[in-house]
Amino acid sequence: MSNYHVKNLEEYFQVYRKSVRDPETFWEEIAEENFVWRKRWDKVLEYDLSKPEISWFQGAKLNITENCIDRHIYSRGDKTAIIFEPNDPNEEAEHITYKQLHERVCRFANVLKDQGVEKGDRVCIYLPMIPELAVAVLACARIGAIHSVVFAGFSSKALATRINDCECKMVLTSDGSYRGTKTIDLKGIVDEALESCEGVESVLVAKRINSDIQMKEGRDKWLQPLLDEAYHDCVPEIMDAEDPLFILYTSGSTGKPKGMVHSTAGYMVYTAYTFKNVFQYREDDVYWCTADIGWITGHSYIVYGPLANGATTVMYEGVPTYPDWGRFWQIVEKHNINQFYTAPTAIRALAKENLDFVEQYDLSSLKVLGTVGEPINEEAWHWYNDNIGNKNCPIVDTWWQTETGGIMISPIPYSTPTIPTYATLPLPGIQPALMDENGNELKGNLVSGRLCVKFPWPSMARTIWGNHQRYKDTYFSAFEGKYFTGDGALRDSTGYYRITGRVDDVIIVSGHNLGTAPIEDAINEHPAVAESAIVGFPHEVKGNALYGYVILKETGESRNHDNLRKEINQIITEHVGPIAKLDKIQFTQGLPKTRSGKIMRRILRKIASKDTSNLGDTSTLLNPEVVQDIMDNAL
Ligand code: PRX
């Protein structure tokens, strides 16, 4: 039996027990047998969760791109590493072999070096889902530069905040992007962002939509001519196991986004291991994850995890709705996809459309279906299972986070029996704990509480860029000696986990984490707004939608409310991005507050969800009278 590839439930339990009994030996065997190291580690694990300091494979030396590309050239050089499926179905798909990927990454890496990027420098990547994005990520890793990919749907302000926070010296972008029938002026967004980013010395621009863009003299350069001139081979920079590989920003419950820092060796080992097991990938399979590489799902399960296994991974540029609602299934048929990984919000949107969009395609290549990003409701699960999987493909409901780097709780397909809405069992090496509000661990089954992890795993984020104290406060202070996820969960009578949702001020809209604070900060920028509070309410497709309660200044009261609503959403779009727009905006005279001045979001949530039967005791509020008024005027 190999630790690396779990093939049935009995093996899972054996491997799991071993991983808990002796985590160091467990991970050491996996690391030893499945990766290329330039120097072996001195110690598998060193940690102190009170600081918190965590180090895996300390002393080891490696380059992750050597593991993701070079070593496959001998055994699978002509195998396709990446299939690029363009937005327009009439444009030809591109198949990039491992050999070609090697050359493209090396050329790009040499360009970065020629432009003055050095090991440890931060490079911001703001690119659409085109091959250059994956190549750019790997090129940074090749030379030891730390990539910070910003999802190319974020606004210029959000981009600027992220560029400045980690002091990027270079931005990689494109002249624009395709999204269905629309084009987006990415370079224009970068130009606007860079007005407030003094540290950026250069911008390299990939050509995608052939638009007429402004190039700033001395700062901006077209990428392709530089690639054409660059040397086709690049010796990988040898990195320490704990050197940062990338920074990826995630929303928090307070204002500033958190730059989660992931390190090299542990991240590589864990994403590769989980990819292999959760998707049961076999050599000739074609795997497709529909996420954007701008999110952690894309980092771990489009780029690093699949490539570390020598897999064929699909990158799709477009949207599920173009040219029609059948596009995903057309792609599944076209490329004979074996593993398909998407988000519940996409499934819900697709499930609302006519089944003809599904039925005209041959989906018989599918073996495993996955979901990630938010709880999947039972109806969506059944639709996915019946119509896409033909009741034949296990669904892996994978729970994890930007911070965890890789999948933490998930069925292992063809081994773990699945139940709709349950992420089921922790993967080997993961030790979850459910905690009550007093900080006690809830032992045994049939309990629900706050979800923590009580032992380190290799791909956990090591810090928040530039703010270790915030890392400690956010994740390691609520429950001593444990990593707190911010999620609630229950454990059923058989030990299966079901994730019940966030227990903090993060709201997941269409699978995107949105902190309430940055949105409220944006709204409060409007000159007519005095104060605001955002809550989530259930939405058929998005999972949650946003409901804003806004108190206007006197000057705002006399204004047309519909115009104000538009202006508020415009400000949110500029500051955070269009995903954070509010579905409903209620203007109100007051917000319910505790005597210490904290907004009682629990009450606002219930009103927004039209669930006012049990609002709890409101008499202790500072201003109980506003509750009735808000209820009377609820939208
Ligand atoms: O609340 C959980 C939810 O998404 C959060 C993490 O979001 P993010 O860092 O953006 O990463 C998303 C992709 C890994 C979690 O704290 N979440 C993620 N997967 C699931 C989930 N909730 C329920 N079930 C899931 N399978």
Side-chain angles (χ1 to χ4, degrees), residues 74-90:
Y74 309 103
S75 51
R76 337 177 149 92
D78 296 319
K79 176 177 174 176
T80 301
I82 296 175
I83 298 177
F84 169 62
E85 172 66 28
N87 177 64
D88 179 352
N90 298 315

Side-chain angles (χ1 to χ4, degrees), residues 297 372-375 397-402 487 499 502 508 513:
T297 307
V372 60
E374 59 189 307
D397 178 352
T398 64
W399 172 82
W400 58 297
Q401 309 179 296
T402 305
D487 283 328
I499 312 302
R502 301 291 310 186
I508 304 187
N513 280 11

Side-chain angles (χ1 to χ4, degrees), residues 426-483:
L427 292 180
I430 303 307
Q431 300 187 34
L434 294 178
M435 311 296 292
D436 72 14
E437 287 187 17
N438 303 319
N440 303 311
E441 183 174 349
L442 298 158
K443 300 274 169 99
N445 291 341
L446 280 177
V447 289
S448 78
R450 295 178 176 227
L451 178 61
C452 290
V453 187
K454 57 185 176 184
F455 194 82
W457 65 101
S459 65
M460 62 196 295
R462 302 294 195 259
T463 189
I464 291 175
W465 184 267
N467 197 344
H468 195 68
Q469 186 63 40
R470 187 173 180 201
Y471 175 68
K472 179 174 172 177
D473 293 346
T474 311
Y475 303 106
F476 295 90
S477 300
F479 303 100
E480 210 185 316
K482 295 185 179 63
Y483 166 81

Side-chain angles (χ1 to χ4, degrees), residues 358-566:
V358 179
E359 285 167 352
Q360 54 182 298
Y361 298 105
D362 177 3
L363 306 182
S364 59
S365 56
L366 289 170
K367 295 194 284 193
V368 175
L369 301 176
T371 88
V372 60
E374 59 189 307
I376 180 164
N377 50 308
E378 203 153 341
E379 208 183 333
W381 193 98
H382 283 296
W383 185 87
Y384 200 27
N385 186 46
D386 296 354
N387 299 299
I388 307 306
N390 196 21
K391 298 196 173 80
N392 244 333
C393 300
I395 295 180
V396 289
D397 178 352
T398 64
W399 172 82
W400 58 297
Q401 309 179 296
T402 305
E403 296 86 336
T404 68
I407 298 169
M408 304 285 280
I409 304 182
S410 166
I412 292 184
Y414 300 102
S415 296
T416 319
T418 58
I419 305 180
T421 77
Y422 281 78
T424 74
L425 297 169
L427 292 180
I430 303 307
Q431 300 187 34
L434 294 178
M435 311 296 292
D436 72 14
E437 287 187 17
N438 303 319
N440 303 311
E441 183 174 349
L442 298 158
K443 300 274 169 99
N445 291 341
L446 280 177
V447 289
S448 78
R450 295 178 176 227
L451 178 61
C452 290
V453 187
K454 57 185 176 184
F455 194 82
W457 65 101
S459 65
M460 62 196 295
R462 302 294 195 259
T463 189
I464 291 175
W465 184 267
N467 197 344
H468 195 68
Q469 186 63 40
R470 187 173 180 201
Y471 175 68
K472 179 174 172 177
D473 293 346
T474 311
Y475 303 106
F476 295 90
S477 300
F479 303 100
E480 210 185 316
K482 295 185 179 63
Y483 166 81
F484 175 46
T485 64
D487 283 328
L490 62 81
R491 194 161 50 226
D492 78 355
S493 57
T494 60
Y496 271 22
Y497 287 85
R498 177 182 181 172
I499 312 302
T500 47
R502 301 291 310 186
V503 293
D504 56 10
D505 288 335
V506 171
I507 305 169
I508 304 187
V509 179
S510 300
H512 300 307
N513 280 11
L514 298 172
T516 51
I519 304 174
E520 289 163 5
D521 291 347
I523 299 172
N524 298 347
E525 295 261 314
H526 191 290
V529 170
E531 201 182 352
S532 61
I534 303 299
V535 296
F537 69 99
H539 184 281
E540 227 188 321
V541 173
K542 302 185 199 176
N544 294 296
L546 298 178
Y547 192 120
Y549 297 90
V550 175
I551 305 178
L552 293 172
K553 290 180 187 158
E554 258 180 44
T555 47
E557 278 301 345
S558 54
R559 300 253 335 257
N560 176 303
H561 281 191
D562 282 339
N563 288 345
L564 280 172
R565 287 190 176 96
K566 282 194 196 123

Side-chain angles (χ1 to χ4, degrees), residues 110-415:
N110 287 326
V111 168
L112 296 178
K113 282 210 254 184
D114 291 346
Q115 298 297 314
V117 178
E118 291 174 7
K119 178 176 176 178
D121 285 344
R122 274 79 59 209
V123 173
C124 174
I125 305 179
Y126 188 72
L127 277 165
M129 281 287 283
I130 55 177
E132 285 80 356
L133 171 52
V135 174
V137 160
L138 294 162
C140 287
R142 187 87 178 167
I143 64 167
I146 302 169
H147 56 78
S148 167
V149 184
V150 177
F151 170 61
F154 274 117
S155 69
S156 59
K157 287 209 167 71
L159 174 62
T161 308
R162 286 158 178 76
I163 290 173
N164 287 330
D165 183 71
C166 65
E167 300 168 296
C168 295
K169 69 193 279 193
M170 180 186 267
V171 178
L172 305 173
T173 189
S174 67
D175 58 348
S177 64
Y178 292 118
R179 241 185 112 68
T181 53
K182 290 194 228 149
T183 55
I184 296 165
D185 175 20
L186 290 189
K187 177 62 168 52
I189 297 172
V190 169
D191 288 341
E192 220 174 282
L194 293 192
E195 282 170 22
S196 52
C197 302
E198 282 172 9
V200 173
E201 294 163 10
S202 53
V203 178
L204 304 186
V205 187
K207 194 167 253 183
R208 177 61 184 140
I209 65 168
N210 288 311
S211 64
D212 190 16
I213 55 163
Q214 302 280 325
M215 296 293 271
K216 187 169 166 184
E217 185 73 34
R219 187 195 70 183
D220 304 350
K221 293 195 179 86
W222 288 105
L223 178 63
Q224 194 57 48
L226 300 174
L227 289 171
D228 292 341
E229 277 171 27
Y231 190 57
H232 67 271
D233 200 0
C234 170
V235 177
E237 186 76 34
I238 302 308
M239 307 298 287
D240 288 338
E242 281 296 323
D243 277 339
L245 175 64
F246 66 86
I247 301 167
L248 186 59
Y249 286 87
T250 184
S251 318
S253 28
T254 56
K256 221 173 144 192
K258 297 173 289 194
M260 305 312 307
V261 179
H262 281 282
S263 67
T264 307
Y267 176 81
M268 172 182 79
V269 169
Y270 193 78
T271 53
Y273 176 75
T274 49
F275 173 75
K276 179 78 183 165
N277 286 292
V278 171
F279 299 103
Q280 291 290 306
Y281 183 85
R282 306 280 170 142
E283 185 60 35
D284 294 319
D285 289 347
V286 180
Y287 159 90
W288 179 23
C289 164
T290 70
D292 192 290
I293 293 177
W295 309 112
I296 191 69
T297 307
H299 281 61
S300 303
Y301 299 109
I302 295 178
V303 182
Y304 289 113
L307 297 179
N309 282 282
T312 300
T313 175
V314 175
M315 277 182 79
Y316 172 48
E317 182 181 29
V319 291
T321 51
Y322 180 74
D324 62 40
W325 287 95
R327 186 67 194 276
F328 272 8
W329 319 125
Q330 179 252 334
I331 297 173
V332 168
E333 179 184 282
K334 177 175 173 188
H335 297 297
N336 283 306
I337 304 292
N338 303 110
Q339 292 89 2
F340 176 76
Y341 191 27
T342 196
T345 186
I347 299 167
R348 285 191 297 264
L350 293 160
K352 277 173 70 109
E353 302 303 319
N354 199 309
L355 265 184
D356 288 350
F357 287 118
V358 179
E359 285 167 352
Q360 54 182 298
Y361 298 105
D362 177 3
L363 306 182
S364 59
S365 56
L366 289 170
K367 295 194 284 193
V368 175
L369 301 176
T371 88
V372 60
E374 59 189 307
I376 180 164
N377 50 308
E378 203 153 341
E379 208 183 333
W381 193 98
H382 283 296
W383 185 87
Y384 200 27
N385 186 46
D386 296 354
N387 299 299
I388 307 306
N390 196 21
K391 298 196 173 80
N392 244 333
C393 300
I395 295 180
V396 289
D397 178 352
T398 64
W399 172 82
W400 58 297
Q401 309 179 296
T402 305
E403 296 86 336
T404 68
I407 298 169
M408 304 285 280
I409 304 182
S410 166
I412 292 184
Y414 300 102
S415 296

